[in-house]
């Protein structure tokens, strides 16, 4: 489903704008969302390279924006939550690689089940010391703090839980449509590629 946002107080500024120059071009921008949240960025761009190094800050971005996606794929109800991000983003246009170092947090999250009962909630989840590198296909978190978590687990007689039916089942295929003809020969196998992505957390704390 489409996600609609209302942008307010948009501001963009750039100095020393010379597309062929190898000198860094200072840029900055900011905006707010009517639905909740603000975005600020400040840094340098080298158009001739091209590459960019930008400090970004997102404050109180309302998770209500993604409620249509949550509803489409799960039976959960997103009651509250806000995201914050603060860190450095480096982009290299030569290979489209991205690196991020900084922190992120999700505050005042609450997810209810289909009956309206609280399923998962917390006061704050903070990931500090994030180091993401798209070239090396890895991301690490130095410190992960979960503050004031709460939730409810119910186990039925058939051993299923209230988490068992969270994901919606895919729609059944239309029986009125004729099945597609199978190819006479199997398509050639794709060459094996290493798509593994490494993720690690050095320390986890629950308060």
């Amino acid at each position: 489903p489409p996600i609609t946002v209302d942008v307010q107080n948009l501001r963009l500024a750039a100095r020393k704008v010379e597309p062929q120059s190898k000198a860094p071009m200072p840029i900055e921008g900011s905006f707010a969302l009517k639905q909740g949240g603000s975005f600020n960025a400040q840094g340098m761009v080298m158009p001739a390279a091209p590459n960019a190094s930008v400090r970004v800050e997102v404050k109180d971005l309302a998770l209500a924006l993604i409620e249509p996606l949550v509803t489409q794929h799960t039976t959960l109800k997103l009651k509250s939550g806000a995201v914050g991000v603060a860190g450095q983003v480096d982009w290299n246009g030569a290979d489209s690689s991205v690196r991020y170092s900084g922190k992120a947090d999700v505050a005042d999250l609450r997810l209810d089940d289909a009956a309206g009962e609280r399923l998962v909630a917390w006061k704050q989840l903070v990931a500090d010391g994030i180091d993401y590198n798209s070239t090396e296909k890895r991301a690490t978190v130095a410190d992960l703090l979960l503050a004031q978590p709460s939730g409810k687990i119910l186990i039925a007689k058939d051993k299923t839980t209230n988490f068992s039916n969270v994901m919606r089942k895919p729609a059944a295929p239309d029986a009125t449509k004729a099945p597609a003809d199978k190819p006479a020969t199997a398509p050639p196998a794709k060459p094996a590629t290493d798509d593994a992505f490494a993720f690690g957390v050095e320390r986890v704390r629950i308060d």
Side-chain angles (χ1 to χ4, degrees):
I3 296 176
T4 302
V5 297
D6 298 304
V7 177
Q8 299 175 327
N9 303 323
L10 177 62
R11 185 178 65 87
L12 299 172
R15 299 187 298 275
K16 301 179 182 179
V17 180
E18 298 179 15
Q20 302 304 319
S21 174
K22 295 183 179 181
M25 179 178 69
I27 62 167
E28 56 184 292
S30 64
F31 62 85
L33 297 180
K34 184 179 179 181
Q35 290 79 3
S38 63
F39 173 87
N40 287 275
Q42 187 173 12
M44 297 287 183
V45 173
M46 294 182 65
N51 57 47
S53 181
V54 180
R55 179 77 181 175
V56 298
E57 184 177 28
V58 178
K59 290 184 177 181
D60 301 324
L61 180 63
L63 282 177
L65 289 169
I66 64 169
E67 185 176 8
L69 293 176
V70 175
T71 303
Q72 180 184 23
H73 297 289
T74 75
T75 59
L76 300 176
K77 300 175 182 178
L78 180 57
K79 304 299 290 185
S80 64
V83 174
V85 175
Q88 188 76 23
V89 178
D90 295 304
W91 172 73
N92 188 337
D95 57 4
S96 298
S97 62
V98 177
R99 180 146 190 189
Y100 173 79
S101 57
K103 65 183 297 185
D105 70 90
V106 180
D108 299 318
L109 178 76
R110 175 169 171 170
L111 287 167
D112 287 358
D113 60 18
E117 297 289 335
R118 181 174 57 186
L119 187 66
V120 176
W122 62 64
K123 182 65 177 177
Q124 197 168 38
L125 177 67
V126 182
D128 207 352
I130 299 173
D131 184 6
Y132 166 77
N133 190 313
S134 66
T135 301
E136 299 177 6
K137 297 181 181 179
R138 64 169 177 83
T140 58
V141 177
D143 185 87
L144 187 66
L145 170 64
L146 179 60
Q148 300 181 32
S150 62
K152 181 186 291 186
I153 300 178
L154 302 177
I155 303 177
K157 291 182 179 180
D158 61 358
K159 303 298 178 65
T160 61
T161 72
N162 51 339
F163 285 84
S164 301
N165 298 318
V166 164
M167 301 304 298
R168 295 189 185 276
K169 296 180 180 180
D174 190 348
T176 62
K177 293 185 178 179
D181 294 334
K182 296 183 178 180
T185 58
K190 296 181 179 179
T193 58
D194 183 11
D195 292 329
F197 186 89
F199 176 77
V201 179
E202 297 178 9
R203 182 173 68 163
V204 176
R205 294 180 293 144
I206 300 177
D207 186 3

